[in-house]
Amino acid sequence: MGDNFLVRVLVIEDEVRLANNVAAALRDGPGFAVDLAEDGAIGIVLAENQCYDLIILDLMLPRLDGPSVLKRIRATKDNTPVLVLTARGEVSSKIDLLNAGADDYLSKPFDLGELLARAKALIRRGKGIAHPTLQAGDLVVNTLEQSVYRSEQCIALSPMEYRLLEYMVHRPRVIVSKRELLEHLYDFNWEHHSNVIEVHVSNLRKKIGGDNRLSSIETLRGRGYRLLL
C-alpha cells in the first residue's frame, strides 16, 4: 500500500490501553485512519454507518459481545474483513469464529508486529492485491510472503529482524528512535532499558549490508536509526 492509499480500520476493544496501542501502531502506517469503539453496541453503530477496510474485533465486550457483533455484521451482507482478538485457546472456538464469518484470529497476548502483518494482509486480500512489495533501492520486501531480496538474492531474517526492516522500509531516510521501535514492534510488556533493539539492528545491518557494501542502516547516537537506501 502506497503512502497515499488511505484505509480505514475500526477497532472494537474495551481494554483502553490495548486499544490505544493497536490504534497507535496502525496510525503510524502510511495511509491508515483508525476509529475506536469501547463496546459492541458502539461498534455496531460505527460498522453500519461507516465504510471500513478492516474491523479488529475483541470477543469479550460489554453490552454486546464479539460473536454477536460478528453475526450482526455478516447478517447485513457486509463482507469487510474481520480480525478477531481472542483469549480463548480452544480449537473449537477458533473454528466456530471462522465459520461465523471471521477472516482471521489472533490469540492474546500478541505481538503488535504480527497484528500489523495480519491486518495488512487482510486489507490487501480484500482489495484484491495479490503480491504487495515494498522497495528501497535494490532491497525488495514482500509483505505477504515476508521475504526479503537484495539484488535478487534472498536474505534470511529472523521474525523480529523482518519486522524491524519492514518498519524502516516504510520510512526510508527517516530517523526512527529506539523507543519508537520498541513501542511499535513489541507489546506493551517490554523492558524500557533492554538492548534488544541494538542487537537486532546490528544483526540486520550485517545481513542486508553484504560483504562489500557501505552500511545500509545508520546509527545516530542519542537519536536512533535511519535506513539509507
Side-chain angles (χ1 to χ4, degrees), residues 92-179:
S92 58
S93 296
K94 296 172 181 176
I95 293 173
D96 290 343
L97 288 171
L98 295 175
N99 287 337
D103 295 272
D104 200 357
Y105 60 85
L106 197 55
S107 298
K108 296 180 179 180
F110 54 81
D111 181 280
L112 280 176
E114 182 177 1
L115 180 138
L116 287 171
R118 288 174 182 257
K120 288 186 285 187
L122 287 175
I123 291 168
R124 292 185 181 107
R125 189 186 308 165
K127 298 292 182 182
I129 303 173
H131 297 289
T133 58
L134 302 172
Q135 188 161 357
D138 60 349
L139 189 72
V140 178
V141 179
N142 185 311
T143 58
L144 276 184
E145 298 176 354
Q146 295 193 358
S147 59
V148 177
Y149 290 83
R150 186 163 191 185
S151 299
E152 299 183 352
Q153 294 184 339
C154 184
I155 300 174
L157 300 179
S158 71
M160 187 52 65
E161 289 166 358
Y162 170 81
R163 292 172 189 151
L164 176 63
L165 178 61
E166 181 181 328
Y167 190 85
M168 297 188 74
V169 168
H170 273 295
R171 300 154 187 80
R173 300 191 173 276
V174 173
I175 299 173
V176 182
S177 70
K178 173 185 172 182
R179 183 180 182 87

Side-chain angles (χ1 to χ4, degrees), residues 168 175-178 181 218-226:
M168 297 188 74
I175 299 173
V176 182
S177 70
K178 173 185 172 182
L181 290 171
E218 179 183 15
T219 299
L220 296 97
R221 190 173 300 276
R223 300 175 66 190
Y225 306 97
R226 178 164 54 191

